[in-house]
Amino acid sequence: MSNLKATLPVRRPRLADVASAAGVSTMTVVRVLREPAKVALATRARVEQVIRDIGYVPDLIARGLASNRSGMIAAVIPVLTNSLIAEIMQGLTDTVVPQGFHLLLGASGFSSTEEESLVRAFLSRRVDAIYLSGVGHTAETVKMLQRAGIPVVEGGNLTDDPIDMVVGFSNVAASRAITHYLIGRRYRSIGYIGAFPGNNDRARDRRLGYELAMKRAHRAVDPRLCVETTLDIDSGARAIATLLDRRPDVRAVYCSADALAVGALYECQRRGRSIPDDIAIAGFDDIPIAGQVVPALTTIRVPRYDIGRRAGKMLCDRLAGRRVRSRIVDAGFELVPRASA
Amino acid sequence: MSNLKATLPVRRPRLADVASAAGVSTMTVVRVLREPAKVALATRARVEQVIRDIGYVPDLIARGLASNRSGMIAAVIPVLTNSLIAEIMQGLTDTVVPQGFHLLLGASGFSSTEEESLVRAFLSRRVDAIYLSGVGHTAETVKMLQRAGIPVVEGGNLTDDPIDMVVGFSNVAASRAITHYLIGRRYRSIGYIGAFPGNNDRARDRRLGYELAMKRAHRAVDPRLCVETTLDIDSGARAIATLLDRRPDVRAVYCSADALAVGALYECQRRGRSIPDDIAIAGFDDIPIAGQVVPALTTIRVPRYDIGRRAGKMLCDRLAGRRVRSRIVDAGFELVPRASA
DNA sequence: CGGAAAAATGATAGCGCTAACATGTAAGCG
DNA sequence: CGCTTACATGTTAGCGCTATCATTTTTCCG
């Protein structure tokens, strides 16, 4: 507020100001702030009064420089506008903030070089720990992280070989499970609609799960049965149109995201195809709308918020010097059978 | 990565290490990093080589302490798991990161005292600017922000009297507009379903807009026609059930969030009520699903991402010493008439 | 009540960087 | 060729806090 600057030329009070006003040394003020039990009651009361009176607020930048710990945890995610990621972040922040950490957030837009540059910048800020979305990163990112020697959690997807720790669910296994479910329901020709794999390990793994399940059941994976597109409702509608065009005999479609599934479902209805009688549809994520559409969507539910919570807990535990039970945490998933398949 | 710490006891290189290795003073290294044009070509090349060789990364904490600018912009929002807010944040981060700032994010969970404590903590971190969600804050929050003398943008909602700057749309006006639209379509008894107002100025304003439009049209505002609930699809379904129970003659319902409207829409269909013939439904937000449900939802579209962009731009402009044209920016809204009303 | 242990408090040297100023060196010109 | 001007580089004193060690005061007990 530039217009207020002039009215208030007061420098913000420092530790030394509190100290001299209270007639103690700076270290005593520090102790009042950080280990009150070690200060005599009378002294403590006096110092606390002064702190309130002059409105002292510690400078966390200076503290960071002196103590070599910033009190910040970084999270690098692809985008915020994805409910799975947003809920993980909510779980993460809800967990780490009460432990005295703040969340520094970076969005890479699914670009791993952008992720790398964010990681570099955050290390430059000396964050105490890092959460990374997904398990695919550039070699340089991994190297920097290893060299930094701070706790790292990769989240969302699962891997056998994390940089440090990982918490998530197996996209491959979940995808396999729901494809297997469709196979078990004896649908002929099962199609796949998914996100472009690009730099998105989740998208890749979900497709892989579909293919593995199909192969395991000795079903051919016809490229004409597979459509990859962007992640929104409209794309789902367009994708199933393409699919129906290429293979009119398709009897079931597994969409690797509920948004796609919902779009596909509406498109089928617009074309007068009954679900699940003419064509079955399954989704992934169990977004709120999935249980409400008619027919309700068969899908996979994953413990989004919980992934964030656990990731935050693992990071805080490590930062507090506590041992973490397992470096690899499978948060699991749940097949939710509903009417659409 | 505690297991790697032992292998790499190397202290991270400092500016002074680069300087001595390159045979220059620290200030020359600083200039290479920050104003390369001011350094002779040969010197610059030599220093840059050394930086790469020893893998020097500046310490932004130390820089912050010395320069009195942290390079961080804070955002305090209620929750991340709200697509409006998430998109605003995406716009904000996409705008400020290229300008060299990082986003420090705090979620208050709709509690204004929690918001206050986050603001206090972020000021403690000496963030260069702050984005606040909504326009309702505790007196202490406002006071701290004024005293801090940094640029502040309040976003989402609009107010005549911002702490510093504000960018958003008028929830009152938008709510009024859509209610007015329903009145113009000659629906008798128009109901309202909204979020609990609690500490949520948006929810309050949306209800206010409904009431103003009704009064302007000389319609009574019957409390039995108004239901307030939590913000999800299920709640929308339950709310309209309550409404139909209390006032079976209700002919149109304005839901102050699309999630509620979608829930209401499905509930009506389950009860065999045709939309819009038996009962019309209007929403707010134009979430992706709104255009896809059958019938598609009449709703209000707001420039979410753009609000974030503009907020970020205003903050960066101010931080760069540029003048901001207007402290109050109305990003507007758009009535989207569709089949549901 | 003397002396040791425990409790309370203090002095000081940085953390790694930048702002402000100082100095040195090359280019321009009558 | 001396003098000014611009360019290139260097010196120094902190920023506000914490870690470490040193010192003083209180408590306890034979």
Side-chain angles (χ1 to χ4, degrees):
Chain A
M1 312 230 1
S2 50
N3 59 329
L4 284 179
K5 250 176 201 160
T7 22
L8 291 158
V10 285
R11 209 194 55 256
R12 59 189 273 168
R14 297 152 309 165
L15 212 41
D17 300 327
V18 177
S20 66
V24 296
S25 73
T26 60
M27 278 316 297
T28 299
V29 182
V30 168
R31 288 190 187 103
V32 168
L33 253 32
R34 299 162 64 82
E35 322 164 281
K38 291 197 174 178
V39 179
L41 232 63
T43 318
R44 187 162 123 199
R46 186 155 36 97
V47 172
E48 279 168 344
Q49 186 59 50
V50 172
I51 288 177
R52 269 191 303 272
D53 286 351
I54 69 178
Y56 169 74
V57 179
D59 183 325
L60 264 30
I61 297 247
R63 174 179 295 176
L65 181 60
S67 69
N68 203 25
R69 295 179 304 104
S70 66
M72 295 192 295
I73 290 180
V76 182
I77 58 176
V79 289
L80 267 160
T81 53
N82 169 304
S83 64
L84 171 64
I85 295 172
E87 280 199 43
I88 293 177
M89 286 303 100
Q90 186 70 44
L92 185 66
T93 187
D94 287 351
T95 310
V96 304
V97 169
Q99 304 289 318
F101 296 97
H102 287 145
L103 188 66
L104 200 56
L105 194 74
S108 68
F110 290 105
S111 149
S112 48
T113 58
E114 188 57 32
E115 180 186 68
E116 179 181 317
S117 99
L118 283 167
V119 167
R120 178 173 295 114
F122 290 158
L123 290 177
S124 221
R125 286 203 183 277
R126 312 201 61 155
V127 295
D128 294 335
I130 292 199
Y131 172 90
L132 285 184
S133 197
V135 298
H137 319 286
T138 67
E140 176 65 12
T141 300
V142 174
K143 202 172 103 191
M144 285 190 294
L145 253 11
Q146 287 175 159
R147 200 152 39 188
I150 59 175
V152 176
V153 167
E154 293 166 88
N157 207 342
L158 226 42
T159 173
D160 288 341
D161 180 32
I163 299 176
D164 181 14
M165 300 177 281
V166 61
V167 46
F169 59 91
S170 166
N171 282 280
V172 178
S175 217
R176 236 173 123 151
I178 196 158
T179 309
H180 179 75
Y181 174 83
L182 293 177
I183 293 168
R185 306 281 293 193
R186 309 208 172 282
Y187 295 111
R188 299 278 314 155
S189 28
I190 300 172
Y192 170 85
I193 296 175
F196 287 121
N199 280 306
N200 186 335
D201 51 294
R202 273 179 303 162
R204 205 159 32 234
D205 284 357
R206 289 185 189 178
R207 169 148 192 179
L208 184 61
Y210 161 78
E211 290 180 358
L212 289 177
M214 292 291 274
K215 278 174 189 158
R216 170 68 62 96
H218 307 293
R219 303 255 194 138
V221 176
D222 181 351
R224 287 175 304 159
L225 274 174
C226 298
V227 180
E228 282 171 338
T229 180
T230 45
L231 263 184
D232 54 70
I233 295 183
D234 289 340
S235 303
R238 281 192 300 272
I240 201 153
T242 307
L243 210 58
L244 288 169
D245 197 40
R246 297 205 290 221
R247 286 282 302 259
D249 63 315
V250 64
R251 286 298 329 282
V253 178
Y254 157 47
C255 301
S256 81
D258 282 348
L260 296 174
V262 168
L265 188 143
Y266 282 126
E267 179 66 17
C268 287
Q269 292 182 339
R270 281 189 287 265
R271 292 173 172 233
R273 303 246 185 169
S274 151
I275 294 169
D277 297 331
D278 295 340
I279 184 167
I281 293 182
F284 198 118
D285 285 338
D286 196 27
I287 61 178
I289 191 77
Q292 300 289 329
V293 291
V294 182
L297 214 54
T298 294
T299 189
I300 296 278
R301 178 182 302 153
V302 296
R304 322 129 171 273
Y305 186 80
D306 200 48
I307 289 174
R309 279 213 85 84
R310 294 208 203 188
K313 186 164 184 325
M314 287 160 86
L315 293 175
C316 288
D317 280 352
R318 275 281 273 282
L319 289 170
R322 274 168 261 149
R323 263 213 111 46
V324 170
R325 292 171 194 224
S326 169
R327 301 164 83 81
I328 301 178
V329 175
D330 188 344
F333 60 85
E334 187 187 343
L335 178 62
V336 184
R338 295 203 186 98
S340 76
Chain B
M1 314 227 359
S2 51
N3 59 328
L4 284 179
K5 249 177 203 161
T7 23
L8 291 158
V10 286
R11 209 194 57 256
R12 60 188 274 168
R14 297 154 309 167
L15 213 42
D17 299 328
V18 177
S20 67
V24 296
S25 73
T26 59
M27 276 316 295
T28 300
V29 181
V30 168
R31 290 190 186 103
V32 169
L33 254 31
R34 299 162 63 83
E35 321 165 280
K38 291 198 173 177
V39 179
L41 231 63
T43 319
R44 187 161 124 199
R46 187 155 34 95
V47 172
E48 280 169 344
Q49 187 59 49
V50 171
I51 287 177
R52 268 191 304 273
D53 286 351
I54 69 178
Y56 168 74
V57 179
D59 183 324
L60 264 31
I61 298 248
R63 173 179 296 176
L65 182 60
S67 70
N68 201 26
R69 296 181 303 105
S70 67
M72 295 192 296
I73 290 179
V76 182
I77 57 176
V79 289
L80 267 160
T81 54
N82 169 303
S83 64
L84 171 64
I85 296 171
E87 280 198 44
I88 293 177
M89 287 302 100
Q90 186 71 44
L92 185 66
T93 186
D94 286 352
T95 309
V96 302
V97 169
Q99 305 288 318
F101 295 98
H102 287 144
L103 188 67
L104 199 56
L105 194 75
S108 68
F110 289 106
S111 148
S112 49
T113 57
E114 188 58 32
E115 180 187 69
E116 179 181 318
S117 99
L118 284 167
V119 167
R120 179 173 293 114
F122 290 158
L123 290 177
S124 221
R125 286 203 183 278
R126 312 200 60 154
V127 295
D128 295 335
I130 291 198
Y131 172 90
L132 285 185
S133 197
V135 297
H137 319 286
T138 67
E140 177 65 13
T141 301
V142 174
K143 201 173 104 190
M144 286 190 294
L145 254 10
Q146 286 174 159
R147 197 150 45 187
I150 59 176
V152 176
V153 166
E154 294 167 88
N157 208 341
L158 226 42
T159 173
D160 288 341
D161 180 33
I163 300 176
D164 181 15
M165 298 177 281
V166 61
V167 45
F169 58 91
S170 166
N171 281 280
V172 177
S175 216
R176 233 173 125 151
I178 197 159
T179 308
H180 179 75
Y181 175 82
L182 293 178
I183 293 169
R185 307 282 293 193
R186 309 205 174 281
Y187 296 110
R188 300 274 316 153
S189 30
I190 300 171
Y192 171 84
I193 297 175
F196 288 121
N199 280 306
N200 185 337
D201 50 294
R202 273 180 303 162
R204 203 158 32 233
D205 284 356
R206 289 185 189 179
R207 170 150 190 176
L208 184 60
Y210 161 78
E211 289 178 0
L212 288 177
M214 293 290 275
K215 279 174 190 158
R216 170 69 62 98
H218 306 293
R219 303 255 194 138
V221 176
D222 181 351
R224 287 174 304 159
L225 275 175
C226 299
V227 179
E228 283 172 336
T229 180
T230 46
L231 262 183
D232 55 69
I233 295 183
D234 288 341
S235 303
R238 280 192 300 272
I240 199 152
T242 307
L243 210 58
L244 288 169
D245 197 39
R246 296 205 292 219
R247 287 281 303 258
D249 62 317
V250 65
R251 287 296 330 278
V253 178
Y254 158 46
C255 302
S256 81
D258 282 349
L260 295 174
V262 169
L265 189 143
Y266 282 125
E267 178 65 18
C268 287
Q269 292 182 339
R270 282 189 287 266
R271 295 177 169 229
R273 303 245 184 170
S274 152
I275 294 169
D277 297 330
D278 294 340
I279 184 166
I281 292 182
F284 198 118
D285 284 341
D286 195 28
I287 62 177
I289 190 78
Q292 300 289 329
V293 290
V294 182
L297 213 54
T298 293
T299 189
I300 295 277
R301 178 184 299 154
V302 295
R304 322 129 171 272
Y305 186 81
D306 199 48
I307 290 174
R309 280 212 85 86
R310 293 207 203 188
K313 187 165 183 328
M314 287 160 86
L315 294 175
C316 289
D317 280 352
R318 274 280 274 283
L319 289 171
R322 272 168 263 149
R323 262 213 111 48
V324 170
R325 291 171 195 222
S326 170
R327 304 166 81 81
I328 300 179
V329 176
D330 188 345
F333 61 85
E334 187 187 343
L335 179 62
V336 184
R338 295 203 187 97
S340 76

